[in-house]
């Protein structure tokens, strides 16, 4: 079993598991130390817990409860499986209000809403979108609790205080976007738990905190590319991107051109080019 830690915060830990077991391999037992949701992104495996047996395929969800044992088998697929697992802190589990039975369900079949979120989380883990992996972990956990618990999600109405908190935190994010800012740090600035801050911020501003952070960095980068002669690599690091390839990929997705192409079009633009670039960045 190969494991890769992708994210570790106070509220949530995200780990990638790659198992190469197949038919004929000895089943192994896992004992979970925390509540968890594992999205099966590839392959299949069997799971036996609390007297019940499940067969999980790509798109299924394995549900972990602290202290419970899970016997895993690979009788039907010789290539093993891959999972993206979210381990949740007790405070987050309490905020979800799903009840004990929910976390002892063992597994869920492939559900369209959870599969879509699982793939978005995988894309975030690979840097293929501008959502935060911690944010998607919270969203996936909340949707799991709603769907598996059979309850209706209540639409949160933002109070005047919520709106002020969201706007003030957005201004703070924009001013500090060249620094490393995760969901917990932004939530601390707002004086809220990460779970409630994500809901408030998204409800008020229509984007997640991480999306706003990335877009602030892109805006600052566009300004520097249009009027600064520094190297593109230097600009990428100055605005807060950790590596050049991620910056180029994210900028191209937003503007429709590479940073170099954007700089060239900004220095000697035709009116049509300028309009296209402006429309792309505003839409993003």
């Amino acid at each position: 079993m190969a494991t890769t830690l992708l994210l570790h915060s106070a509220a949530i830990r995200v780990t990638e598991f790659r198992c190469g077991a197949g038919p004929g391999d000895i089943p192994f037992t896992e004992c979970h130390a925390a509540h968890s949701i594992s999205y099966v992104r590839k392959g299949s495996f069997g799971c036996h817990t609390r007297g019940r047996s499940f067969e999980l395929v790509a798109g299924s969800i394995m549900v972990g409860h602290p202290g419970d044992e899970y016997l895993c088998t690979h009788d039907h697929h010789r290539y093993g499986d891959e999972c993206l697992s979210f381990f949740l802190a007790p405070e987050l589990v309490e905020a979800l209000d799903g009840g004990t039975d929910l976390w002892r369900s063992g597994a869920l079949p492939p559900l369209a809403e959870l599969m879509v979120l699982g793939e978005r989380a995988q894309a975030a883990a690979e840097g293929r979108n501008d959502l935060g992996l911690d944010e998607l972990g919270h969203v996936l956990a909340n949707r799991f609790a709603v769907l598996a618990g059979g309850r209706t999600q209540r639409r949160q109405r933002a109070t005047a205080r919520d709106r002020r908190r969201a706007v003030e935190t957005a201004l703070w994010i924009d001013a500090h976007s060249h620094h490393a800012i995760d969901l917990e740090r932004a939530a601390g600035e707002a004086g809220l738990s990460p779970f409630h801050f994500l809901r408030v911020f998204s409800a008020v501003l229509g984007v997640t905190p991480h999306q706003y952070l990335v877009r602030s960095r892109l805006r600052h980068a566009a300004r520097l590319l249009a009027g600064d002669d520094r190297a593109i690599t230097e600009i990428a690091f100055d605005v807060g991107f950790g590596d050049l390839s991620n910056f180029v990929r994210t900028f191209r997705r937003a503007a429709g051109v590479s940073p170099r192409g954007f700089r060239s079009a900004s220095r000697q633009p035709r009116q049509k080019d300028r309009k296209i670039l402006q429309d792309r960045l505003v839409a993003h």
Side-chain angles (χ1 to χ4, degrees):
M1 174 84 71
T3 64
T4 303
L5 180 64
L6 302 178
L7 172 75
H8 194 181
S9 67
I12 195 165
R13 174 167 55 88
V14 185
T15 301
E16 175 188 78
F17 291 94
R18 294 174 181 263
C19 178
D25 289 320
I26 299 175
F28 58 89
T29 301
E30 297 178 352
C31 186
H32 290 205
H35 295 85
S36 65
I37 303 170
S38 296
Y39 173 67
V40 184
R41 68 185 191 194
K42 189 176 181 180
S44 71
F45 64 97
C47 175
H48 182 84
T49 183
R50 291 184 168 270
R52 301 175 65 192
S53 295
F54 306 90
E55 294 295 336
L56 292 90
V57 296
S60 300
I61 298 287
M62 180 177 176
V63 184
H65 184 274
D68 285 1
E69 291 188 347
Y70 301 81
L71 180 67
C72 297
T73 62
H74 293 81
D75 297 332
H76 310 299
H77 189 67
R78 61 177 177 171
Y79 299 112
D81 63 272
E82 297 179 8
C83 293
L84 193 63
S85 298
F86 300 81
F87 298 89
L88 314 179
E91 296 78 14
L92 177 54
V93 174
E94 183 178 353
L96 294 171
D97 191 27
T100 302
D101 291 342
L102 172 67
W103 295 99
R104 287 177 170 162
S105 56
L108 289 182
L111 299 176
E113 285 192 65
L114 298 183
M115 290 171 66
V116 169
L117 289 174
E119 290 303 320
R120 293 184 74 183
Q122 181 61 37
E126 297 173 0
R128 292 189 284 110
N129 62 34
D130 62 353
L131 291 166
L133 187 55
D134 51 356
E135 295 174 346
L136 280 165
H138 281 76
V139 173
L140 178 62
N142 184 57
R143 290 307 298 164
F144 160 75
V146 170
L147 294 174
R151 60 185 175 87
T152 302
Q153 186 173 15
R154 292 173 294 178
R155 184 174 179 86
Q156 180 174 344
R157 296 191 61 180
T159 65
R161 188 183 184 190
D162 288 338
R163 292 182 176 278
R164 184 177 67 254
R165 278 174 161 167
V167 170
E168 289 178 350
T169 308
L171 295 174
W172 177 84
I173 289 174
D174 187 60
H176 297 82
S177 60
H178 54 293
H179 294 301
I181 300 174
D182 60 12
L183 181 61
E184 289 188 7
R185 185 178 179 191
E189 187 68 22
L192 295 170
S193 71
F195 178 74
H196 288 100
F197 171 70
L198 176 59
R199 297 177 68 183
V200 166
F201 192 98
S202 301
V204 172
L205 298 179
V207 293
T208 71
H210 189 74
Q211 284 178 318
Y212 185 73
L213 172 65
V214 171
R215 294 170 193 188
S216 292
R217 289 171 175 170
L218 289 173
R219 183 169 57 83
H220 294 313
R223 181 182 301 151
L224 291 174
L225 288 168
D228 196 298
D229 292 326
R230 279 180 291 170
I232 291 175
T233 300
E234 185 178 349
I235 288 175
F237 290 135
D238 282 351
V239 300
F241 284 90
D243 65 81
L244 181 61
S245 61
N246 182 37
F247 169 64
V248 171
R249 181 172 59 250
T250 304
F251 194 94
R252 183 185 290 276
R253 188 165 59 234
V257 295
S258 67
R260 189 178 301 278
F262 180 88
R263 168 174 273 175
S264 177
S266 299
R267 300 296 173 86
Q268 295 179 340
R270 293 179 300 166
Q271 186 64 30
K272 181 180 178 181
D273 291 338
R274 184 188 299 116
K275 181 69 165 56
I276 292 173
L277 291 172
Q278 289 174 342
D279 289 347
R280 287 297 299 266
L281 285 172
V282 169
H284 184 73

